[in-house]
């Protein structure tokens, strides 16, 4: 009897001021508010990206619509060859926007971007994929725990620092070893860019390799296949879409990267296939020229057009990368 | 009315008119318009001057030397900034319209040196050779009497005034060869040239560290001139020019005060800060002296 009365008394004691009920209502309210807040944040992020795209696109539209500007430059002219004063050049694709007759060929710029990106991938992809195979397949746990964060830390190095390194140190080494005519050239910028994209390719490849189910490896090893052969012929092929995605994402980053190429590439808009020549990339051109260009001039709209091109390119590349990653995930889920 | 009376009336009216214009002029800002090369210089002058004289108001706009001169002819600007001397036709147009001669006031001097790597033993280049090098017609140092080495061109970004000046005065408006590497500042050009034995660059004369400057010949037969502050200032060095202000008639009031300040030690120290050369010291005195000096220089 005393016991029951004691419990009966103790219940109202617990919630003497209705705190429990109040906090429940409060929690629900907070829950609601925060869900809305987070939704708003997500929408804001998307909205900002859409608005940036709309603005950049809008600023490049006069190139297609304004007749005044089309007298100076059209999209067709930007991709075709022009009459040329320096007669000894075989191909006359020239970027010379400040001139009596401004020349806006984007071919040397695109070629420059591609050359630098190509070298960056050529340098970064084998290194980072090999590193990913090592950490995912062979490294003992503590080595893996050490190596992975350190490589990922590379992504935190500001590109200005990489650019400076390439400008001052790397360029001199390369010129010393390879006797380049131009100290700052596509190889120099490409190698520095490679350093910048190693963390991206490594991280995505490593994830792809790790997501290959254990059962694949166990089956292979149980059949008496060596670990290296297992990694090479079983795990790596299974992770191919992920590794491809890693390279696509690395490519996207390299095409848009600006500071490194601005500092390390020499910025000469040469139309040549030689990797030893100086190059001027699309991104570096925008960075170097947009600051002082006459607002509303043909040159200004051309620069925005280049920006739109870059934006669409990197957007598509990122999308392709994502599609491949999610396809890989599905495949692995189905298999395990 | 007799004839002399009409004349006095006319003179009186003209006086009243001028007086009222002068009164009006005090209320509105002094406008300075012209050369894009000089916009920065003009703005720096205006800022510093307005800081000293809070009552003064100055507006500086660019558009090019030609635009500035046209504005002076149309009477829409008080001061025209020009990086080239006014043509006779333009002077006549002003005289016809206002009945007054334009007054030419050199306010600063601009000069460019041609940089070489210290290992390059070449001493002289003619303007034509420099032009051929930068347009890609000359590709090897042995074509101008140097070693058998490819020439590597260093230039400036195309938004730079130095780029525009070099293109206009040395390349005679031809395009740079596409292989010319563009660097973001004179310091970067000096740095690149210092590291590269094959290189050639251009930029302000004041930069001297770790590089050589070449003596420049106006044409193949003229004597080579060392780029020094002195040769720039006495006009013998071929890649130099005066930067001018033009006003219609003798400047008066606030405009005169501004011009005197610009030519004085404070204004001329701003010139140095912006990266041009101050006028030779003799001519920074009163303006009439400046004009004599200019006349003398033109005669020689």
């Amino acid at each position: 009897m005393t016991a029951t009365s004691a419990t009966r008394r103790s219940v109202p004691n617990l919630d003497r001021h209705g705190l429990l009920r109040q906090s429940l209502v409060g929690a629900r309210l907070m829950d609601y508010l925060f869900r809305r807040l987070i939704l708003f944040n997500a929408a804001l992020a998307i909205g900002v990206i859409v608005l940036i795209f709309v603005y950049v696109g809008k600023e490049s539209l006069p190139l297609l619509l304004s007749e005044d500007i089309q007298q100076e430059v059209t999209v067709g002219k930007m991709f075709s060859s022009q009459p040329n004063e320096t007669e000894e050049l075989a191909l006359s694709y020239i970027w010379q926007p400040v001139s009596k007759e401004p020349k806006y060929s984007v071919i040397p710029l695109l070629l420059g971007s591609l050359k630098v990106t190509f070298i960056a991938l050529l340098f970064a992809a084998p290194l980072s994929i090999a590193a990913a195979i090592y950490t995912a397949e062979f490294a003992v746990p503590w080595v893996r725990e050490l190596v992975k964060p350190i490589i990922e830390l590379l992504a935190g190095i500001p590109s200005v620092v990489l650019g400076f390194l390439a400008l001052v140190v790397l360029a001199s080494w390369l010129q010393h070893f390879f006797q380049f005519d131009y100290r700052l050239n596509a190889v120099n910028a490409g190698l520095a860019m490679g350093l910048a994209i190693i963390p991206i390719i490594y991280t995505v490849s490593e994830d792809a390799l790790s997501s290959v189910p254990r059962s694949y490896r166990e089956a292979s090893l149980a059949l008496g296949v060596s670990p290296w052969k297992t990694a090479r012929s079983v795990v790596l092929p299974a992770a191919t879409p992920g590794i491809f995605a890693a390279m696509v994402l690395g490519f996207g980053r390299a095409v848009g990267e600006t500071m490194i190429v601005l500092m390390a590439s020499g910025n000469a808009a040469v139309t040549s296939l030689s990797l030893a020549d100086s190059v001027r990339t699309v991104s570096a051109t925008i960075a170097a020229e947009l600051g002082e260009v006459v607002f509303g001039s043909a040159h200004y709209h051309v620069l925005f057009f280049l920006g739109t091109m870059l934006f669409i390119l990197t957007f598509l590349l990122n999308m392709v990368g994502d599609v491949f990653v999610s396809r890989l995930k599905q495949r692995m889920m189905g298999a395990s | 009315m007799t004839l002399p009376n009409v004349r006095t009336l006319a003179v009186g009216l003209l006086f009243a008119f001028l007086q009222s214009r002068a009164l009006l002029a005090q209320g509105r800002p002094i406008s300075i318009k012209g050369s894009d090369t000089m916009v920065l210089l003009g703005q720096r002058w205006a800022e510093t001057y307005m800081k000293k004289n809070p009552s003064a108001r100055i507006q500086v706009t660019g558009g090019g030397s030609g635009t500035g001169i046209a504005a002076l002819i149309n009477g829409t600007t008080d001061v025209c900034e020009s990086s080239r001397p006014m043509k006779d036709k333009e002077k006549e147009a002003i005289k016809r319209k206002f009945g007054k001669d334009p007054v030419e006031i050199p306010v600063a001097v601009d000069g460019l040196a041609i940089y070489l790597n210290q290992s390059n033993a070449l001493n002289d280049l003619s303007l034509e050779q420099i032009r051929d090098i930068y347009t890609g017609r000359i590709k090897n140092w042995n074509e101008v009497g140097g070693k058998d080495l490819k020439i590597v061109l260093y230039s400036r970004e195309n938004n730079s005034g130095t780029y525009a000046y070099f293109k206009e005065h040395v390349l005679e408006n031809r395009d740079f060869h596409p292989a010319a590497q563009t660097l973001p500042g004179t310091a970067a050009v000096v740095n690149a040239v210092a590291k590269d034995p094959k290189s050639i660059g251009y930029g302000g004369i004041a930069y001297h560290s770790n590089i050589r400057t070449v003596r420049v010949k106006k044409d193949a037969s003229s004597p080579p001139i060392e780029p020094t502050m002195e040769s720039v200032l006495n006009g013998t060095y071929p890649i130099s020019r005066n930067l001018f202000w033009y006003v219609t008639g003798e400047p008066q009031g606030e405009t005169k005060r501004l011009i005197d300040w610009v030519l004085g030690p404070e204004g001329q120290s701003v010139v140095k800060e912006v990266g041009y050369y101050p006028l030779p010291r003799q001519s920074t005195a009163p303006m009439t002296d400046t004009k004599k000096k200019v006349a003398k220089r033109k005669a020689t």
Side-chain angles (χ1 to χ4, degrees):
Chain A
M1 184 69 194
T2 44
T4 35
S5 67
T7 40
R8 210 176 272 162
R9 223 177 296 133
S10 72
V11 171
N13 269 357
L14 257 178
D15 194 9
R16 200 184 294 151
H17 308 293
L19 272 176
L20 205 63
R21 216 175 318 135
Q22 246 178 28
S23 70
L24 250 175
V25 172
R28 252 187 224 141
L29 188 72
M30 289 307 264
D31 189 59
Y32 175 80
L33 280 180
F34 269 94
R35 247 188 302 161
R36 284 292 135 131
L37 187 70
I38 288 166
L39 178 72
F40 173 73
N41 286 346
L44 190 71
I46 292 174
V48 165
I49 287 176
V50 169
L51 283 180
I52 289 175
F53 185 71
V54 167
Y55 176 73
V56 173
K58 196 194 87 199
E59 289 298 311
S60 59
L61 268 188
L63 213 54
L64 303 171
L65 303 177
S66 158
E67 281 181 17
D68 283 350
I69 284 165
Q70 283 191 333
Q71 285 194 335
E72 194 175 328
V73 57
T74 60
V75 176
K77 264 194 214 159
M78 289 168 66
F79 289 92
S80 53
S81 64
Q82 304 117 322
N84 181 10
E85 322 168 359
T86 40
E87 61 284 329
E88 91 285 358
L89 287 170
L91 287 168
S92 60
Y93 297 102
I94 291 172
W95 175 264
Q96 194 89 235
V98 178
S99 168
K100 276 225 149 131
E101 284 170 52
K103 300 170 189 69
Y104 294 104
S105 177
V106 296
I107 304 294
L109 308 181
L110 285 177
L111 207 61
S113 280
L114 286 179
K115 277 201 282 191
V116 172
T117 308
F118 173 73
I119 293 164
L121 276 181
L122 209 64
F123 167 64
L127 266 180
S128 34
I129 292 170
I133 293 175
Y134 172 72
T135 44
E137 300 299 312
F138 299 102
V140 288
W142 72 267
V143 175
R144 181 167 187 246
E145 292 314 312
L146 192 71
V147 171
K148 203 173 170 194
I150 289 178
I151 293 183
E152 283 167 356
L153 212 64
L154 249 162
I157 298 179
S159 52
V160 177
V161 175
L162 289 175
F164 185 73
L165 201 74
L167 176 71
V168 177
V169 184
L170 188 64
S172 297
W173 287 354
L174 289 175
Q175 196 174 32
H176 181 72
F177 285 124
F178 297 103
Q179 301 296 318
F180 287 133
D181 278 333
Y182 302 102
R183 206 177 149 266
L184 300 178
N185 52 45
V187 174
N188 183 39
L191 291 185
M193 182 85 85
L195 288 177
I197 62 173
I198 278 177
I200 295 175
I201 302 187
Y202 169 80
T203 309
V204 180
S205 309
E206 216 267 348
D207 285 349
L209 290 166
S210 311
S211 66
V212 174
R214 275 185 76 85
S215 54
Y216 279 38
R217 297 185 185 86
E218 281 162 0
S220 172
L221 293 171
L223 288 170
V225 180
S226 72
W228 166 234
K229 178 97 175 151
T230 303
R232 206 185 52 186
S233 312
V234 177
V235 183
L236 195 59
T240 305
I243 287 169
F244 180 73
M247 289 176 58
V248 170
L249 291 174
F251 186 92
R253 162 84 203 270
V255 164
E257 168 56 49
T258 306
M259 208 55 214
I260 293 173
V261 281
L262 192 63
M263 295 173 83
S265 70
N267 290 318
V270 193
T271 309
S272 84
L273 290 173
S274 162
L275 298 179
D277 280 343
S278 289
V279 292
R280 187 179 185 91
T281 68
V282 177
S283 53
T285 303
I286 299 175
E289 295 176 13
L290 197 57
E292 304 273 331
V293 72
V294 180
F295 182 83
S297 63
H299 186 190
Y300 173 87
H301 294 298
V302 167
L303 290 178
F304 269 95
F305 179 80
L306 291 180
T308 314
M309 251 170 45
L310 263 189
F311 195 104
I312 294 174
L313 185 65
T314 48
F315 185 76
L316 286 179
L317 286 174
N318 280 339
M319 214 164 70
V320 169
D322 274 356
V323 166
F324 271 93
V325 167
S326 62
R327 196 176 288 173
L328 174 78
K329 271 189 190 140
Q330 269 173 359
R331 193 157 115 187
M332 293 307 156
M333 303 261 256
S336 55
Chain B
M1 251 187 215
T2 53
L3 204 66
N5 270 352
V6 172
R7 204 174 283 163
T8 31
L9 189 66
V11 169
L13 275 176
L14 190 70
F15 236 92
F17 175 67
L18 286 179
Q19 203 70 28
S20 66
R21 268 182 68 102
L23 277 176
L24 273 176
Q26 284 192 340
R28 62 189 181 87
I30 301 173
S31 83
I32 301 176
K33 189 169 186 149
S35 162
D36 281 325
T37 317
M38 294 168 69
V39 168
L40 188 68
L41 183 60
Q43 278 169 347
R44 225 24 91 64
W45 269 327
E47 281 165 21
T48 321
Y49 186 75
M50 286 190 284
K51 223 176 269 168
K52 297 252 155 183
N53 307 283
S55 64
R57 282 191 300 151
I58 306 171
Q59 261 177 7
V60 183
T61 44
S65 300
T67 316
I69 292 169
L72 196 67
I73 295 172
N74 294 330
T76 53
T77 186
D78 302 308
V79 179
C80 153
E81 289 189 305
S82 178
S83 54
R84 64 169 170 83
M86 219 180 235
K87 290 173 194 154
D88 288 340
K89 256 190 194 167
E90 292 158 344
K91 285 183 183 167
E92 279 162 30
I94 287 184
K95 175 127 203 197
R96 221 178 308 131
K97 191 150 181 195
F98 300 99
K100 285 184 273 187
D101 280 315
V103 178
E104 179 178 274
I105 307 151
V107 288
V109 181
D110 187 12
L112 285 190
I114 305 298
Y115 304 147
L116 296 180
N117 186 269
Q118 271 174 334
S119 70
N120 194 333
L122 201 70
N123 285 321
D124 318 324
L125 282 174
S126 72
L127 275 181
E128 194 186 349
Q129 284 173 323
I130 297 170
R131 177 163 60 244
D132 285 348
I133 286 172
Y134 266 97
T135 51
R137 218 160 282 156
I138 293 177
K139 292 189 166 301
N140 196 305
W141 282 113
N142 63 17
E143 291 173 62
V144 289
K147 284 182 262 183
D148 178 19
L149 262 182
K150 197 173 163 157
I151 300 177
V152 175
L153 309 172
Y154 289 100
S155 175
R156 294 283 308 280
E157 279 298 345
N158 55 35
N159 54 34
S160 114
T162 314
Y163 171 97
Y165 172 46
F166 193 81
K167 184 165 186 160
E168 195 180 322
H169 292 261
V170 182
L171 304 192
E172 293 176 344
N173 280 321
R174 282 183 208 126
D175 281 344
F176 282 91
H177 191 269
Q181 298 183 40
T182 59
L183 301 173
T186 301
V189 173
V190 168
N191 194 14
V193 171
K195 281 195 170 128
D196 189 344
K198 302 186 282 296
S199 61
I200 184 168
Y202 62 88
I205 290 171
Y207 291 85
H208 258 320
S209 55
N210 302 323
I211 44 150
R212 293 185 61 231
T213 51
V214 79
R215 291 185 299 179
V216 179
K217 296 186 281 189
K218 195 157 190 157
D219 45 57
S221 56
S222 46
I225 307 291
E226 190 88 34
T228 58
M229 192 168 265
E230 201 166 38
S231 65
V232 167
L233 293 181
N234 68 22
T236 49
Y237 184 68
I239 324 178
S240 75
R241 57 176 174 178
N242 275 342
L243 302 174
F244 301 103
W245 272 17
Y246 284 95
V247 287
T248 305
E250 284 296 329
Q252 276 154 10
E254 192 65 51
T255 312
K256 178 170 169 47
R257 274 195 292 279
L258 173 66
I259 291 171
D260 286 345
W261 177 84
V262 159
L263 295 176
E266 278 182 55
Q268 292 298 303
S269 74
V270 172
V271 171
K272 254 191 233 165
E273 275 166 37
V274 178
Y276 298 110
Y277 293 90
L279 294 163
R281 195 159 300 141
Q282 304 93 303
S283 69
T284 54
M287 222 167 37
T288 41
D289 286 4
T290 315
K291 277 190 285 177
K292 268 183 220 152
K293 178 88 185 172
V294 171
K296 220 197 282 170
R297 190 191 293 178
K298 272 184 186 157
T300 50

